Amino acid sequence: MFDYGLEAFLDSPRASGRIGLVTNATGRDRNGTHLTDRLAAHPRTTLAAIFTPEHGFGSDAPDGEAVDNSVHSRLGVPIFSLYGPKKKPAPADLVGLDALVFDIQDVGVRFYTYISTLRNTLEAAAEADLPFHVLDRPDLLGGIEIEGPMLSPGFDSFVGHLPVPLRYGMTPGELARWWNAQLPKPAGLTVWTCREYVRGIAFEELGVPWVQPSPSMKSPDTARFYPGTCLYEGTNVSEGRGTDAPFQILGAPWVQPELWIEALSPLLPPKVTVSAVSFRPTFSKFEGMECRGIRLETPLPILPNAVGIGIRSLHALLRTHPGLVEFTGRATLPHPFFDHLAGNAWLRESLLGGQPPAEIEARATAECAPFLAERAPFLLYNTR
Protein backbone atom coordinates (compact mmCIF):
# COMPACT_ATOMS: atom_id res chain seq x y z
CA MET A 1 0.00 0.00 0.00
CA PHE A 2 1.26 3.46 -0.92
CA ASP A 3 2.27 5.79 1.89
CA TYR A 4 4.02 9.11 2.25
CA GLY A 5 7.60 9.50 3.44
CA LEU A 6 6.47 10.88 6.78
CA GLU A 7 5.66 7.38 8.08
CA ALA A 8 9.21 6.12 7.55
CA PHE A 9 10.57 9.19 9.32
CA LEU A 10 8.24 8.93 12.30
CA ASP A 11 9.09 5.24 12.72
CA SER A 12 12.82 6.01 12.75
CA PRO A 13 14.97 6.75 15.83
CA ARG A 14 16.04 9.90 13.96
CA ALA A 15 12.62 11.39 14.64
CA SER A 16 13.74 13.03 17.87
CA GLY A 17 14.57 16.36 19.47
CA ARG A 18 13.31 19.86 18.72
CA ILE A 19 11.88 19.97 15.21
CA GLY A 20 11.38 22.92 12.91
CA LEU A 21 8.71 21.85 10.41
CA VAL A 22 8.35 23.37 6.92
CA THR A 23 4.79 22.59 5.89
CA ASN A 24 1.29 23.75 5.02
CA ALA A 25 -2.17 22.17 4.77
CA THR A 26 -0.81 19.33 2.62
CA GLY A 27 1.43 17.92 5.35
CA ARG A 28 -1.03 15.17 6.26
CA ASP A 29 -0.84 11.40 6.48
CA ARG A 30 -3.05 9.13 4.40
CA ASN A 31 -5.77 9.33 7.08
CA GLY A 32 -5.86 13.12 7.05
CA THR A 33 -4.00 13.71 10.33
CA HIS A 34 -1.63 16.65 10.05
CA LEU A 35 2.06 16.12 10.73
CA THR A 36 2.04 18.89 13.33
CA ASP A 37 -0.28 16.73 15.45
CA ARG A 38 1.76 13.60 14.78
CA LEU A 39 4.96 15.36 15.90
CA ALA A 40 3.29 17.00 18.92
CA ALA A 41 2.12 13.57 20.11
CA HIS A 42 5.37 11.76 19.28
CA PRO A 43 7.27 10.51 22.36
CA ARG A 44 10.71 11.63 21.09
CA THR A 45 9.96 14.92 19.30
CA THR A 46 9.08 18.45 20.29
CA LEU A 47 7.48 20.57 17.60
CA ALA A 48 9.36 23.81 18.25
CA ALA A 49 8.62 25.92 15.14
CA ILE A 50 6.59 25.85 11.95
CA PHE A 51 7.70 27.51 8.70
CA THR A 52 5.18 28.11 5.93
CA PRO A 53 5.48 28.86 2.18
CA GLU A 54 3.29 30.98 -0.09
CA HIS A 55 -0.43 30.69 0.82
CA GLY A 56 0.41 30.15 4.49
CA PHE A 57 -0.14 27.29 6.91
CA GLY A 58 -3.72 26.76 5.74
CA SER A 59 -2.75 26.88 2.03
CA ASP A 60 -5.58 29.38 1.63
CA ALA A 61 -3.98 32.84 1.35
CA PRO A 62 -4.44 34.43 -2.11
CA ASP A 63 -1.83 34.02 -4.81
CA GLY A 64 1.09 36.40 -4.36
CA GLU A 65 -0.21 37.88 -1.09
CA ALA A 66 2.27 38.28 1.77
CA VAL A 67 1.55 36.14 4.82
CA ASP A 68 2.20 37.25 8.42
CA ASN A 69 3.82 35.29 11.22
CA SER A 70 1.34 33.70 13.60
CA VAL A 71 0.91 31.02 16.25
CA HIS A 72 -0.70 27.59 15.85
CA SER A 73 -4.17 27.97 17.36
CA ARG A 74 -4.18 24.65 19.23
CA LEU A 75 -0.54 23.79 19.77
CA GLY A 76 0.77 27.25 20.60
CA VAL A 77 3.77 26.74 18.30
CA PRO A 78 5.15 29.84 16.51
CA ILE A 79 4.53 29.92 12.75
CA PHE A 80 7.18 31.78 10.74
CA SER A 81 6.04 32.95 7.33
CA LEU A 82 8.49 32.46 4.48
CA TYR A 83 6.31 34.47 2.13
CA GLY A 84 6.47 37.95 3.55
CA PRO A 85 9.39 40.27 4.36
CA LYS A 86 11.66 37.22 4.34
CA LYS A 87 11.56 34.08 2.24
CA LYS A 88 14.33 32.20 4.00
CA PRO A 89 14.65 31.35 7.70
CA ALA A 90 16.91 33.75 9.55
CA PRO A 91 19.73 32.19 11.63
CA ALA A 92 17.91 33.30 14.80
CA ASP A 93 14.82 31.33 13.72
CA LEU A 94 16.84 28.12 13.78
CA VAL A 95 18.54 28.54 17.15
CA GLY A 96 17.68 25.67 19.48
CA LEU A 97 16.41 23.36 16.76
CA ASP A 98 17.81 19.86 16.29
CA ALA A 99 16.55 19.42 12.71
CA LEU A 100 14.52 21.01 9.91
CA VAL A 101 11.84 18.79 8.36
CA PHE A 102 10.23 19.59 5.00
CA ASP A 103 6.83 18.08 4.17
CA ILE A 104 4.86 19.88 1.45
CA GLN A 105 3.01 18.48 -1.55
CA ASP A 106 4.65 20.04 -4.60
CA VAL A 107 3.09 20.11 -8.07
CA GLY A 108 6.20 19.58 -10.22
CA VAL A 109 6.45 22.94 -11.99
CA ARG A 110 9.32 25.43 -11.66
CA PHE A 111 7.14 28.47 -10.97
CA TYR A 112 5.09 26.76 -8.26
CA THR A 113 6.91 28.46 -5.42
CA TYR A 114 7.07 25.59 -2.94
CA ILE A 115 10.32 24.44 -4.53
CA SER A 116 11.72 27.94 -4.00
CA THR A 117 10.96 27.47 -0.31
CA LEU A 118 12.54 24.00 -0.49
CA ARG A 119 15.73 25.54 -1.85
CA ASN A 120 15.80 28.33 0.74
CA THR A 121 15.19 26.08 3.75
CA LEU A 122 17.70 23.49 2.53
CA GLU A 123 20.34 26.18 2.16
CA ALA A 124 19.48 27.66 5.57
CA ALA A 125 19.95 24.24 7.14
CA ALA A 126 23.31 23.82 5.40
CA GLU A 127 24.51 27.19 6.65
CA ALA A 128 23.39 26.38 10.21
CA ASP A 129 24.82 22.82 10.20
CA LEU A 130 21.30 21.58 10.89
CA PRO A 131 20.10 18.17 9.64
CA PHE A 132 17.49 18.54 6.90
CA HIS A 133 14.86 15.86 6.32
CA VAL A 134 12.56 15.74 3.30
CA LEU A 135 9.48 13.60 3.87
CA ASP A 136 8.83 12.78 0.25
CA ARG A 137 5.59 13.05 -1.69
CA PRO A 138 4.70 12.10 -5.28
CA ASP A 139 5.15 14.26 -8.33
CA LEU A 140 1.52 15.06 -9.22
CA LEU A 141 2.51 15.24 -12.89
CA GLY A 142 3.86 11.68 -13.00
CA GLY A 143 7.58 12.15 -12.54
CA ILE A 144 8.50 11.08 -16.08
CA GLU A 145 7.87 13.90 -18.53
CA ILE A 146 10.24 16.86 -18.73
CA GLU A 147 9.22 20.02 -20.59
CA GLY A 148 11.13 23.22 -21.19
CA PRO A 149 12.10 25.91 -21.40
CA MET A 150 14.97 26.02 -18.96
CA LEU A 151 15.54 29.00 -16.68
CA SER A 152 17.86 31.45 -18.47
CA PRO A 153 20.40 33.59 -16.57
CA GLY A 154 18.95 36.97 -15.60
CA PHE A 155 15.36 35.72 -15.36
CA ASP A 156 15.56 34.22 -11.90
CA SER A 157 12.96 35.25 -9.32
CA PHE A 158 10.89 33.51 -6.67
CA VAL A 159 8.85 31.94 -9.51
CA GLY A 160 12.13 30.80 -11.08
CA HIS A 161 14.50 30.09 -8.22
CA LEU A 162 16.00 26.77 -9.33
CA PRO A 163 17.69 26.28 -12.75
CA VAL A 164 15.42 23.45 -13.88
CA PRO A 165 13.02 22.89 -16.78
CA LEU A 166 9.57 24.36 -16.44
CA ARG A 167 8.31 20.81 -15.78
CA TYR A 168 11.16 18.86 -14.21
CA GLY A 169 9.77 15.40 -13.42
CA MET A 170 11.09 14.95 -9.88
CA THR A 171 9.66 14.54 -6.40
CA PRO A 172 10.61 17.09 -3.71
CA GLY A 173 13.11 14.62 -2.26
CA GLU A 174 14.77 13.97 -5.60
CA LEU A 175 14.96 17.68 -6.33
CA ALA A 176 16.51 18.32 -2.91
CA ARG A 177 19.15 15.63 -3.56
CA TRP A 178 20.02 17.21 -6.92
CA TRP A 179 20.33 20.75 -5.56
CA ASN A 180 22.15 19.73 -2.40
CA ALA A 181 24.87 18.12 -4.50
CA GLN A 182 25.52 21.50 -6.13
CA LEU A 183 25.90 23.49 -2.93
CA PRO A 184 29.44 24.50 -1.94
CA LYS A 185 28.49 23.41 1.57
CA PRO A 186 25.86 20.64 1.28
CA ALA A 187 23.31 20.12 4.00
CA GLY A 188 23.09 16.94 6.04
CA LEU A 189 20.17 15.80 3.90
CA THR A 190 18.03 12.71 4.37
CA VAL A 191 15.13 11.90 2.05
CA TRP A 192 12.47 9.59 3.47
CA THR A 193 10.94 7.92 0.44
CA CYS A 194 7.31 7.11 -0.24
CA ARG A 195 6.35 3.48 0.22
CA GLU A 196 5.25 1.55 -2.88
CA TYR A 197 5.45 4.54 -5.18
CA VAL A 198 6.53 4.30 -8.83
CA ARG A 199 7.00 6.94 -11.49
CA GLY A 200 4.15 7.27 -13.91
CA ILE A 201 1.38 6.61 -11.41
CA ALA A 202 -1.49 9.10 -11.32
CA PHE A 203 -2.57 10.70 -8.06
CA GLU A 204 -6.01 9.08 -8.28
CA GLU A 205 -4.36 5.65 -8.11
CA LEU A 206 -2.61 6.31 -4.80
CA GLY A 207 -5.70 5.80 -2.65
CA VAL A 208 -5.18 8.95 -0.58
CA PRO A 209 -7.41 12.02 -0.24
CA TRP A 210 -6.75 15.16 -2.26
CA VAL A 211 -5.69 18.19 -0.20
CA GLN A 212 -5.49 21.46 -2.12
CA PRO A 213 -1.85 22.62 -2.17
CA SER A 214 -3.04 26.19 -2.84
CA PRO A 215 -6.39 27.97 -3.29
CA SER A 216 -6.57 27.55 -7.06
CA MET A 217 -5.06 24.05 -7.26
CA LYS A 218 -8.50 22.55 -6.84
CA SER A 219 -8.01 19.04 -8.19
CA PRO A 220 -5.63 16.73 -10.05
CA ASP A 221 -7.35 17.97 -13.24
CA THR A 222 -6.19 21.49 -12.38
CA ALA A 223 -2.61 20.28 -11.89
CA ARG A 224 -2.57 18.46 -15.24
CA PHE A 225 -2.98 21.65 -17.30
CA TYR A 226 -1.19 24.00 -14.91
CA PRO A 227 2.36 23.77 -16.38
CA GLY A 228 1.24 25.41 -19.63
CA THR A 229 -1.84 27.46 -18.84
CA CYS A 230 -0.35 29.19 -15.80
CA LEU A 231 1.66 31.17 -18.36
CA TYR A 232 -1.54 33.19 -18.83
CA GLU A 233 -0.86 34.65 -15.39
CA GLY A 234 1.63 36.90 -17.18
CA THR A 235 -1.01 38.25 -19.58
CA ASN A 236 -4.25 40.22 -19.53
CA VAL A 237 -6.17 36.96 -20.02
CA SER A 238 -7.76 35.16 -17.07
CA GLU A 239 -6.15 31.83 -16.22
CA GLY A 240 -9.41 30.77 -14.59
CA ARG A 241 -8.70 31.78 -11.00
CA GLY A 242 -12.02 32.42 -9.30
CA THR A 243 -13.80 29.71 -11.34
CA ASP A 244 -14.53 26.04 -10.71
CA ALA A 245 -11.73 24.98 -13.06
CA PRO A 246 -8.62 27.18 -12.77
CA PHE A 247 -6.00 26.65 -15.50
CA GLN A 248 -8.58 24.76 -17.57
CA ILE A 249 -10.81 27.79 -18.13
CA LEU A 250 -9.15 30.69 -19.98
CA GLY A 251 -10.63 33.91 -21.28
CA ALA A 252 -11.47 37.59 -21.06
CA PRO A 253 -14.45 39.88 -21.77
CA TRP A 254 -13.15 40.55 -25.29
CA VAL A 255 -12.49 36.95 -26.35
CA GLN A 256 -14.40 35.40 -29.27
CA PRO A 257 -14.34 31.70 -28.33
CA GLU A 258 -15.36 30.37 -31.74
CA LEU A 259 -12.40 32.02 -33.45
CA TRP A 260 -10.00 30.79 -30.77
CA ILE A 261 -11.32 27.22 -30.90
CA GLU A 262 -11.17 27.08 -34.68
CA ALA A 263 -7.48 27.95 -34.61
CA LEU A 264 -6.60 25.84 -31.56
CA SER A 265 -8.44 22.58 -32.20
CA PRO A 266 -6.09 21.33 -34.96
CA LEU A 267 -3.10 21.99 -32.69
CA LEU A 268 -4.27 19.96 -29.70
CA PRO A 269 -2.88 16.47 -29.05
CA PRO A 270 -5.15 13.42 -29.00
CA LYS A 271 -7.55 13.13 -26.05
CA VAL A 272 -7.44 16.84 -25.26
CA THR A 273 -10.66 18.68 -26.07
CA VAL A 274 -11.65 22.34 -26.07
CA SER A 275 -15.08 23.92 -25.75
CA ALA A 276 -16.53 27.43 -25.49
CA VAL A 277 -17.39 28.73 -22.05
CA SER A 278 -18.73 31.86 -20.34
CA PHE A 279 -17.63 32.60 -16.79
CA ARG A 280 -17.59 35.29 -14.13
CA PRO A 281 -14.51 35.08 -11.85
CA THR A 282 -15.21 35.51 -8.14
CA PHE A 283 -11.70 36.90 -7.59
CA SER A 284 -8.47 37.72 -9.45
CA LYS A 285 -8.60 39.10 -13.01
CA PHE A 286 -11.98 40.41 -14.20
CA GLU A 287 -13.55 39.78 -10.79
CA GLY A 288 -17.33 39.85 -11.18
CA MET A 289 -17.15 40.53 -14.93
CA GLU A 290 -18.68 38.38 -17.65
CA CYS A 291 -15.90 36.66 -19.60
CA ARG A 292 -15.87 34.39 -22.61
CA GLY A 293 -13.25 31.85 -23.46
CA ILE A 294 -12.40 28.17 -23.59
CA ARG A 295 -12.28 25.15 -21.33
CA LEU A 296 -9.65 22.44 -21.82
CA GLU A 297 -10.34 18.88 -20.72
CA THR A 298 -8.75 15.45 -20.96
CA PRO A 299 -9.47 11.93 -19.70
CA LEU A 300 -5.72 11.27 -19.47
CA PRO A 301 -4.56 10.82 -15.85
CA ILE A 302 -1.14 12.22 -16.81
CA LEU A 303 -0.84 14.79 -19.57
CA PRO A 304 2.48 14.38 -21.40
CA ASN A 305 2.60 17.79 -23.14
CA ALA A 306 0.98 20.27 -20.78
CA VAL A 307 3.49 23.06 -21.49
CA GLY A 308 3.00 22.54 -25.20
CA ILE A 309 -0.76 22.95 -24.81
CA GLY A 310 -0.20 26.31 -23.13
CA ILE A 311 2.09 27.43 -25.95
CA ARG A 312 -0.33 26.28 -28.65
CA SER A 313 -3.32 27.95 -27.02
CA LEU A 314 -1.43 31.24 -26.71
CA HIS A 315 -0.34 31.02 -30.34
CA ALA A 316 -3.96 30.50 -31.44
CA LEU A 317 -5.23 33.35 -29.27
CA LEU A 318 -2.62 35.81 -30.54
CA ARG A 319 -3.36 34.85 -34.14
CA THR A 320 -7.13 35.26 -33.81
CA HIS A 321 -7.18 38.33 -31.54
CA PRO A 322 -4.38 40.55 -32.89
CA GLY A 323 -3.45 43.49 -30.71
CA LEU A 324 -5.63 42.41 -27.77
CA VAL A 325 -3.28 40.16 -25.78
CA GLU A 326 -0.94 42.07 -23.46
CA PHE A 327 2.04 40.77 -21.52
CA THR A 328 1.89 42.41 -18.12
CA GLY A 329 4.59 43.32 -15.61
CA ARG A 330 5.08 43.54 -11.86
CA ALA A 331 6.76 46.47 -10.17
CA THR A 332 9.28 44.31 -8.32
CA LEU A 333 10.52 42.43 -11.40
CA PRO A 334 12.80 43.64 -14.22
CA HIS A 335 11.05 41.77 -17.04
CA PRO A 336 7.43 41.12 -18.03
CA PHE A 337 5.99 38.62 -15.56
CA PHE A 338 5.42 36.16 -18.41
CA ASP A 339 9.19 36.08 -18.99
CA HIS A 340 9.84 35.21 -15.36
CA LEU A 341 7.31 32.38 -15.58
CA ALA A 342 8.78 31.13 -18.86
CA GLY A 343 12.33 31.70 -17.63
CA ASN A 344 13.36 33.72 -20.69
CA ALA A 345 12.26 36.39 -23.15
CA TRP A 346 12.50 34.27 -26.28
CA LEU A 347 9.23 32.40 -25.69
CA ARG A 348 7.19 35.63 -25.59
CA GLU A 349 9.10 37.07 -28.53
CA SER A 350 8.58 33.89 -30.55
CA LEU A 351 4.86 33.92 -29.87
CA LEU A 352 4.55 37.58 -30.79
CA GLY A 353 6.53 36.91 -33.96
CA GLY A 354 4.10 34.21 -35.05
CA GLN A 355 6.62 31.38 -34.88
CA PRO A 356 4.89 27.97 -35.22
CA PRO A 357 4.33 26.20 -31.90
CA ALA A 358 6.17 23.10 -33.12
CA GLU A 359 9.36 25.15 -33.57
CA ILE A 360 8.96 26.81 -30.15
CA GLU A 361 8.42 23.47 -28.43
CA ALA A 362 11.39 21.92 -30.25
CA ARG A 363 13.66 24.65 -28.90
CA ALA A 364 12.27 24.21 -25.40
CA THR A 365 12.84 20.44 -25.60
CA ALA A 366 16.40 20.87 -26.83
CA GLU A 367 17.19 23.11 -23.87
CA CYS A 368 16.15 20.33 -21.48
CA ALA A 369 18.35 17.58 -22.90
CA PRO A 370 21.34 18.17 -20.58
CA PHE A 371 19.09 18.24 -17.51
CA LEU A 372 17.55 14.89 -18.40
CA ALA A 373 20.95 13.25 -17.93
CA GLU A 374 21.89 15.48 -14.99
CA ARG A 375 18.90 14.48 -12.88
CA ALA A 376 19.29 10.71 -13.44
CA PRO A 377 21.65 9.95 -10.50
CA PHE A 378 19.26 11.62 -8.06
CA LEU A 379 16.08 9.72 -8.91
CA LEU A 380 14.74 7.46 -6.16
CA TYR A 381 11.85 5.58 -7.75
CA ASN A 382 11.43 3.04 -10.53
CA THR A 383 9.14 3.58 -13.50
CA ARG A 384 6.00 1.46 -13.69
Side-chain angles (χ1 to χ4, degrees):
M1 181 176 66
F2 166 83
D3 223 329
Y4 297 114
L6 65 88
E7 298 297 347
F9 172 71
L10 292 173
D11 288 343
S12 164
R14 297 183 65 189
S16 63
R18 292 175 57 82
I19 302 295
L21 177 62
V22 187
T23 195
N24 62 3
T26 66
R28 299 176 184 273
D29 64 21
R30 64 175 299 112
N31 300 312
T33 302
H34 201 278
L35 183 57
T36 50
D37 295 303
R38 297 284 302 271
L39 287 171
H42 196 283
R44 298 189 305 274
T45 64
T46 298
L47 180 60
I50 300 169
F51 300 89
T52 60
E54 184 179 7
H55 309 296
F57 182 69
S59 301
D60 54 1
D63 169 66
E65 183 176 288
V67 178
D68 293 330
N69 294 337
S70 59
V71 176
H72 193 286
S73 59
R74 286 186 297 101
L75 301 177
V77 177
I79 299 176
F80 297 95
S81 170
L82 300 180
Y83 200 77
K86 63 183 177 185
K87 291 185 169 64
K88 180 178 179 179
D93 299 335
L94 306 179
V95 171
L97 298 182
D98 295 307
L100 266 183
V101 173
F102 183 98
D103 188 7
I104 295 176
Q105 178 61 66
D106 180 39
V107 172
V109 183
R110 184 180 65 226
F111 46 62
Y112 202 64
T113 61
Y114 296 165
I115 66 165
S116 300
T117 299
L118 173 61
R119 170 182 174 168
N120 284 354
T121 51
L122 174 68
E123 292 179 1
E127 293 158 8
D129 291 317
L130 199 61
F132 191 82
H133 300 268
V134 176
L135 315 188
D136 215 7
R137 289 181 177 263
D139 178 0
L140 295 182
L141 303 180
I144 295 176
E145 301 289 338
I146 288 180
E147 293 186 87
M150 292 292 291
L151 179 65
S152 297
F155 290 88
D156 55 304
S157 67
F158 206 63
V159 295
H161 199 37
L162 281 170
V164 295
L166 202 155
R167 176 180 180 178
Y168 47 84
M170 301 174 83
T171 68
E174 292 170 335
L175 192 66
R177 278 163 48 90
W178 167 77
W179 186 246
N180 196 49
Q182 301 187 53
L183 296 180
K185 179 187 175 183
L189 171 66
T190 304
V191 176
W192 300 86
T193 56
C194 297
R195 184 173 65 194
E196 295 189 21
Y197 173 65
V198 291
R199 320 186 82 78
I201 192 169
F203 178 83
E204 292 90 336
E205 299 177 72
L206 298 176
V208 294
W210 173 261
V211 179
Q212 288 189 196
S214 56
S216 293
M217 197 61 62
K218 291 184 173 295
S219 70
D221 288 330
T222 308
R224 278 187 263 281
F225 285 97
Y226 175 79
T229 56
C230 188
L231 291 170
Y232 283 87
E233 192 175 332
T235 73
N236 63 334
V237 180
S238 170
E239 65 275 15
R241 294 183 192 273
T243 75
D244 66 339
F247 310 110
Q248 292 179 261
I249 289 176
L250 309 166
W254 42 264
V255 165
Q256 299 182 58
E258 296 76 14
L259 292 178
W260 193 359
I261 291 171
E262 183 180 3
L264 176 58
S265 292
L267 302 176
L268 291 176
K271 297 188 178 181
V272 175
T273 59
V274 59
S275 58
V277 67
S278 296
F279 61 100
R280 192 182 296 269
T282 58
F283 62 87
S284 194
K285 296 174 188 170
F286 309 119
E287 179 178 348
M289 297 174 63
E290 185 70 21
C291 296
R292 293 174 296 172
I294 61 173
R295 179 167 180 155
L296 296 162
E297 294 185 275
T298 183
L300 296 173
I302 296 174
L303 193 57
N305 42 15
V307 176
I309 290 168
I311 291 170
R312 296 171 207 183
S313 64
L314 275 163
H315 169 84
L317 181 62
L318 285 161
R319 199 178 79 186
T320 54
H321 296 71
L324 295 179
V325 179
E326 299 174 3
F327 292 89
T328 54
R330 295 192 177 181
T332 57
L333 295 173
H335 306 289
F337 188 55
F338 183 94
D339 294 4
H340 287 280
L341 293 170
N344 58 69
W346 70 256
L347 178 55
R348 174 179 52 83
E349 292 166 354
S350 298
L351 286 165
L352 287 171
Q355 188 171 359
E359 295 179 8
I360 296 174
E361 292 171 46
R363 177 174 176 178
T365 299
E367 285 189 357
C368 294
F371 182 80
L372 187 63
E374 185 181 332
R375 74 167 189 158
F378 303 99
L379 302 183
L380 294 168
Y381 305 97
N382 295 324
T383 301
R384 70 186 315 180

